[in-house]
Amino acid sequence: VDVAAILSMASAVVAAPEGERVVVVLYAGADHTKAIVDFWRSQGFAAEGLTRGGLVGKEDWLGDESRALTFPGYLHDFSQLFQKPSSAESARIASQRQRRAKKK
């Protein structure tokens, strides 16, 4: 299940236009979520700027407790996830892309 989720996420990200920011939302149990997060973090990804490391919900539930989740604002409006970069930031990103392209 974890590998299938990772491959599905990778497929969705690769299908996005180059340079586009992509939001990945995973709804899974705590063990699967931890394994998948550990994998992506080992690949250099992070949850910078997201509350609670980007995790919604909790790990431990009481037997009769509702599993309904209240989503933070950034999952209602994905534009809240990404700040529009300043012109200086845009220039830095473009420069990094050019350096990576030259290395290939």
Side-chain angles (χ1 to χ4, degrees):
V1 171
D2 299 341
V3 173
I6 290 166
L7 292 174
S8 179
M9 291 173 191
S11 177
V13 170
V14 169
E18 185 174 342
E20 281 290 315
R21 293 181 177 207
V22 177
V23 176
V24 175
V25 178
L26 169 69
Y27 182 80
D31 291 338
H32 294 297
T33 300
K34 182 177 179 342
I36 292 165
V37 166
D38 288 348
F39 170 80
W40 287 116
R41 296 251 166 94
S42 76
Q43 302 302 307
F45 291 89
E48 291 178 28
L50 300 178
T51 57
R52 297 187 60 229
L55 298 176
V56 176
K58 59 185 187 177
E59 292 184 33
D60 298 315
W61 301 83
L62 299 176
D64 61 346
E65 189 175 5
S66 171
R67 303 299 202 270
L69 299 175
T70 301
F71 294 112
Y74 60 79
L75 288 180
H76 291 276
D77 179 3
F78 290 151
S79 69
Q80 292 181 22
L81 280 171
F82 306 117
Q83 298 292 326
K84 191 161 186 120
S86 66
S87 57
E89 180 68 9
S90 295
R92 185 185 66 76
I93 292 168
S95 175
Q96 287 176 341
R97 285 187 185 138
Q98 288 174 347
R99 282 194 298 265
R100 277 189 244 135
K102 287 180 183 178
K103 289 180 181 179
K104 289 182 181 180

